[in-house]
Amino acid sequence: MTRITIAKLARNVALIGGVVFAGAAVAQPAAYPPPGGAYGGGAPGQAPAQPQGYYSTQPAAPTGFQPRRGLLIAGVGFGIGSMGNEAGAIECADCDTNPVSFAGDVRLGGMLSDRLGLMVEGQIDSSVVQSFGGPYGTEGTKSISQTAVFVAAQYHVSPRLYVRGGLGLANLAFDYSDSYGTASESISAGSAVMGAVGYELISTRGLSLDVVGRLTVGTYTDIGETVSAGSVGLAFNYF
């Protein structure tokens, strides 16, 4: 298998970055005044609106974007999908049916504006590649897993639709599990790029429940391999 070149990594970055940020390029940020003016004043003859604290139920701005500027982001997500390498999809040769891969992620960061957030995100994708029978009737599985940590940016193209992209480090490993326990064998460490598109099914100032499609590509130069992992799932975010 040929070694992965710097040009191939640049191709992966350009591919995912182009998909993720194409929508953001056509969206224009819109500023909006706070309801009732800068100091909460109402219409003539009405009492000024009371200032709203951090934990208040603040309505969405006239533009429709949730007022999340300056808030913390903490989230977790789960999904299913598939993994592949340069030879094609990663499959389980000894399984009756080819299992799907499982994905999980956690994130922590902050909102720089009502539309833009920066965060650190950790991800894992795992897929069974072998099912085996051990001594004394034990059975187990061998899986391949790709874990990654990213510095990521998230941008709301519309009040509910957003794109997210990140660059980071990845690790590829084999995981073994049977009735005696679990073990892990590291294969290689490398770099990774990630792109995601999400839609907030439930959207408030303080939380959201999203459906998210994600693609992560890890590049491992010492073994001359790239591993991709795509998934669709749900994510919960607290602001």
Side-chain angles (χ1 to χ4, degrees):
M1 188 177 295
T2 59
R3 296 184 65 82
I4 305 302
T5 63
I6 295 177
K8 183 173 294 183
L9 176 59
R11 178 201 64 188
N12 292 334
V13 173
L15 176 62
I16 293 183
V19 172
V20 171
F21 294 106
V26 299
Q28 298 297 323
Y32 57 85
Y39 299 96
Q46 294 181 351
Q50 295 298 318
Q52 296 181 337
Y54 184 87
Y55 295 102
S56 62
T57 305
Q58 186 173 348
T63 58
F65 291 92
Q66 295 292 348
R68 294 172 177 164
R69 184 192 310 267
L71 299 186
L72 174 78
I73 306 171
V76 60
F78 302 94
I80 58 174
S82 64
M83 299 178 66
N85 56 17
E86 293 187 342
I90 294 176
E91 300 178 346
C92 180
D94 301 323
C95 299
D96 295 333
T97 60
N98 195 45
V100 298
S101 64
F102 291 92
D105 62 87
V106 293
R107 67 198 68 85
L108 182 67
M111 295 295 293
L112 302 183
S113 71
D114 295 339
R115 304 178 72 168
L116 176 65
L118 293 179
M119 65 201 73
V120 175
E121 180 167 339
Q123 298 178 357
I124 182 169
D125 294 270
S126 180
S127 183
V128 175
V129 294
Q130 185 180 2
S131 177
F132 57 86
Y136 310 109
T138 61
E139 295 183 352
T141 59
K142 175 183 178 181
S143 302
I144 189 168
S145 63
Q146 179 170 254
T147 57
V149 178
F150 299 97
V151 175
Q154 178 172 303
Y155 183 78
H156 278 254
V157 180
S158 73
R160 290 178 180 261
L161 178 67
Y162 61 83
V163 292
R164 183 165 70 242
L167 298 173
L169 302 176
N171 185 74
L172 195 65
F174 284 127
D175 300 316
Y176 304 90
S177 177
D178 58 25
S179 58
Y180 291 102
T182 60
S184 182
E185 174 189 357
S186 180
I187 302 173
S188 180
S191 59
V193 292
M194 175 271 295
V197 178
Y199 185 83
E200 296 185 353
L201 300 174
I202 298 175
S203 179
T204 71
R205 179 177 185 260
L207 61 87
S208 70
L209 177 63
D210 314 342
V211 58
V212 182
R214 193 189 76 215
L215 174 65
T216 300
V217 178
T219 301
Y220 306 93
T221 56
D222 57 339
I223 62 172
E225 185 68 279
T226 60
V227 175
S228 60
S231 64
V232 175
L234 295 175
F236 175 81
N237 297 291
Y238 173 81
F239 299 90

